[in-house]
């Protein structure tokens, strides 16, 4: 079977890597999409394990739909009886790009009518629509005149891990947080710190990786495929048990801090809900005072405030500059991944990034900047921490 894993732009190769690590063969990597091959159970495993993937879709059909009639007829001809019994509920979501259809809502409505009519004609009864909690979610993508119709194997977005019980403003999407860590090569074996931790998303995703916890193990809602007619609970239990068997203790510390005490409280509640609180040390601290803990060097991953985010109105350039100093002076040997949507603020850090990776934070184009704070020769008198990384940190 051919599946599609959807991904935020810039994270497609990360998702492809995740699928390969699951032993699945990747067929194609396109903007926002990774096609892979496997048996039905492999689609279930992908739903359970993918960290950076947004959804797993099972394509049902692709056809030309230059107008509403063609869309209706094309959708009606698909094998709905295999996936939708009359006593099940369904919902249709649509997205359109460069197409004669201006309204995704209209596309969803035509496809919904086509499905209902097809099943009424073939079976004499039609399933009901339930937009909030359907048994079967159908996803329609129209690009120019081509319509792709899929079943949503994941049953809604995979970022809904179930641990975000206390949100904070400008919290990162869980799949983006995981993608950032995977882009940075984090594997849980080195210390990780987020000095702007907010609700703790990066720390919790790091802890899930470090403990080899499949994110789907936490999920409160059933996956989409669990409500399909072809679902085999026994096979699913075996896949779930296998994931439970993979758990390990986190090999290295994970540290989160934030200047805002209520953010630290939120991170603490979320980490506890995720079952990761024993691996994450949280505290209230200004990032300007950040210093790497003693011991082996590790990875800093953070999205400091920028633009409309929390903290706007403050002297953000001053904050970035002071945090850059903390990196240079007090984090020798560490790497830092900073997500920011503001190039001017990024420059205020005062370090030249080793990599700049374009990503999207929701609809907002952002950059992930990677910095390496090499342990340099100490220069000048006294060998104070301020000089520790002068040589290789390559100030801008
Ligand atoms: C964009 S949010 C981070 C969101 C976080 N990644 C999450 O997923 O919830 C930025 C965070 O930086 C914190 N912050 C602002 N100024 C700070 C400072 N000087 N030191 C530490 N944290 C600060 C804010 O309280 C806010 O929680």
């Amino acid at each position: 079977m051919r599946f599609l894993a959807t991904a935020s732009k810039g994270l497609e190769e990360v998702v492809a890597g995740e699928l390969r690590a699951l032993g699945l063969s990747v067929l194609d990597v396109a903007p926002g999409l990774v096609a892979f091959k496997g048996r039905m159970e492999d689609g279930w495993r992908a739903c359970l394990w993918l960290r950076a993937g947004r959804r797993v879709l099972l394509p049902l059909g692709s056809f030309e739909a230059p107008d509403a009639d063609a869309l209706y007829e094309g959708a009606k001809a698909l094998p709905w009886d295999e996936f939708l019994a009359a006593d099940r509920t369904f919902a249709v979501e649509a997205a359109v790009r460069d197409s004669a259809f201006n309204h995704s809502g209209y596309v969803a409505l035509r496809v919904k009518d086509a499905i209902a009519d097809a099943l009424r004609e073939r079976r004499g009864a039609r399933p009901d629509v339930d937009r909030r909690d359907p048994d079967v979610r159908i996803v329609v993508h129209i690009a120019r005149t081509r319509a792709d119709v899929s079943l949503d194997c994941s049953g809604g977005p995979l970022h809904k891990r179930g641990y975000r019980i206390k949100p904070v403003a400008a919290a990162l999407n869980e799949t983006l947080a995981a993608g950032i860590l995977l882009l940075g090569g984090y594997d849980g074996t080195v210390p990780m710190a987020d000095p702007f931790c907010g609700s703790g998303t990066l720390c919790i995703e790091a802890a899930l990786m470090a403990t080899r916890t499949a994110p789907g193990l936490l999920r409160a809602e059933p996956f989409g495929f669990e409500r399909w007619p072809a679902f085999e609970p026994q096979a699913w239990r075996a896949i779930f048990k296998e994931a439970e068997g993979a758990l390990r203790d986190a090999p290295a510390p994970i540290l989160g801090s934030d200047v805002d005490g209520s953010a630290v409280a939120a991170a603490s509640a979320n980490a506890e809900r995720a079952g990761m609180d024993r691996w994450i040390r949280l505290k209230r601290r200004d990032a300007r005072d950040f210093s790497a803990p003693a011991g082996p060097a590790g990875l800093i991953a953070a999205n400091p405030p920028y633009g409309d985010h929390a903290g706007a109105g403050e002297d953000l350039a001053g904050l970035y500059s002071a945090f850059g100093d903390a990196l240079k002076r007090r984090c020798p040997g560490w790497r830092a991944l900073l997500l920011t949507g503001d190039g001017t603020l990024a420059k205020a850090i005062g370090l030249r990034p080793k990599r700049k990776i374009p990503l999207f934070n929701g609809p907002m184009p952002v950059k992930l900047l990677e910095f390496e704070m090499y342990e340099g020769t100490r220069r000048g008198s006294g060998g104070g921490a301020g000089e520790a990384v002068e040589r290789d940190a390559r100030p801008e």
Side-chain angles (χ1 to χ4, degrees):
M1 294 176 121
R2 186 170 167 271
F3 292 93
L4 295 175
T6 65
S8 174
K9 275 202 199 123
L11 292 179
E12 297 90 345
E13 282 301 339
V14 166
V15 172
E18 286 198 87
L19 290 164
R20 289 189 192 104
L22 288 171
L24 301 173
S25 57
V26 169
L27 302 172
D28 189 28
V29 180
L33 282 181
V34 183
F36 67 98
K37 197 173 78 177
R39 295 170 307 142
M40 185 58 101
E41 292 84 344
D42 293 319
W44 304 351
R45 263 190 334 124
C47 288
L48 181 64
W49 277 99
L50 279 184
R51 300 182 191 279
R54 281 150 73 112
R55 291 187 189 217
V56 177
L57 305 177
L58 179 63
L60 268 194
S62 181
F63 51 87
E64 282 299 309
D67 55 43
D69 288 345
L71 175 65
Y72 175 87
E73 292 304 335
K76 198 171 168 194
L78 296 174
W80 296 111
D81 11 1
E82 286 175 34
F83 297 96
L84 247 177
D87 61 348
R88 295 295 166 114
T89 58
F90 74 106
V92 182
E93 274 173 48
V96 293
R97 181 163 51 87
D98 303 332
S99 135
F101 296 101
N102 307 322
H103 291 293
S104 55
Y106 178 70
V107 168
L109 198 69
R110 286 308 283 156
V111 172
K112 183 214 71 165
D113 289 344
I115 297 169
D117 292 348
L119 286 166
R120 197 185 295 109
E121 284 170 24
R122 288 176 218 168
R123 292 247 189 81
R126 51 155 285 183
D128 287 328
V129 170
D130 180 342
R131 277 205 204 91
R132 207 187 50 78
D133 185 30
D135 292 316
V136 177
R137 282 176 201 266
I138 292 138
V139 178
V140 184
H141 279 276
I142 300 194
R144 296 196 185 86
T145 57
R146 194 84 196 155
D148 290 298
V149 181
S150 307
L151 296 178
D152 185 350
C153 207
S154 32
L158 290 173
H159 77 80
K160 292 192 175 175
R161 317 274 207 230
Y163 63 70
R164 201 193 286 285
I165 50 171
K166 290 256 165 65
V168 302
L172 274 185
N173 180 296
E174 294 82 341
T175 54
L176 176 58
I180 288 170
L181 292 164
L182 290 167
L183 273 172
Y186 176 73
D187 65 358
T189 58
V190 295
M192 180 271 170
D194 179 356
F196 297 90
C197 75
S199 63
T201 321
L202 280 157
C203 290
I204 296 169
E205 290 299 322
L208 294 176
M209 286 179 203
T211 56
R212 296 201 176 130
T213 305
L217 289 179
L218 307 181
R219 196 174 155 106
E221 296 166 19
F223 287 108
F225 61 79
E226 292 182 65
R227 293 159 84 171
W228 291 2
F231 179 58
E232 291 166 34
Q234 240 173 330
W236 172 232
R237 261 197 298 279
I239 293 169
F240 202 88
K241 262 189 117 88
E242 190 189 22
E244 286 179 327
L247 298 175
R248 69 171 181 185
D249 288 353
I254 295 164
L255 315 162
S257 49
D258 197 289
V259 75
D260 178 353
S262 65
V264 177
S268 169
N270 293 337
E272 193 179 335
R273 170 57 71 95
M276 294 294 123
D277 47 318
R278 33 185 305 226
W279 310 114
I280 304 174
R281 283 187 250 146
L282 292 165
K283 72 171 180 186
R284 187 173 175 189
R285 176 172 56 187
D286 193 312
R288 287 173 266 232
D289 302 327
F290 182 78
S291 63
L299 179 73
I300 290 161
N303 68 316
Y306 60 88
D308 299 335
H309 282 176
E314 289 172 20
D315 173 17
L316 287 181
L319 171 60
Y320 274 60
S321 161
F323 181 59
D325 280 350
L327 291 179
K328 280 179 255 177
R329 291 169 187 220
R330 298 193 291 272
C331 306
W334 282 59
R335 282 190 305 133
L337 297 167
L338 301 184
L339 189 77
T340 181
D342 188 320
T344 311
L345 287 176
K347 283 212 167 72
I349 294 170
L351 287 168
R352 193 179 309 143
K354 185 183 163 211
R355 283 198 291 171
K356 287 186 192 178
I357 304 169
L359 293 174
F360 280 85
N361 188 0
M364 199 191 311
V366 290
K367 290 236 162 65
L368 183 68
L369 308 176
E370 180 178 350
F371 301 98
E372 274 182 359
M373 282 71 71
Y374 292 102
E375 290 200 63
T377 41
R378 288 171 189 252
R379 293 188 302 176
S381 60
E387 293 85 21
V389 292
E390 193 96 38
R391 188 193 55 178
D392 289 315
R394 294 178 292 171
E396 284 267 349

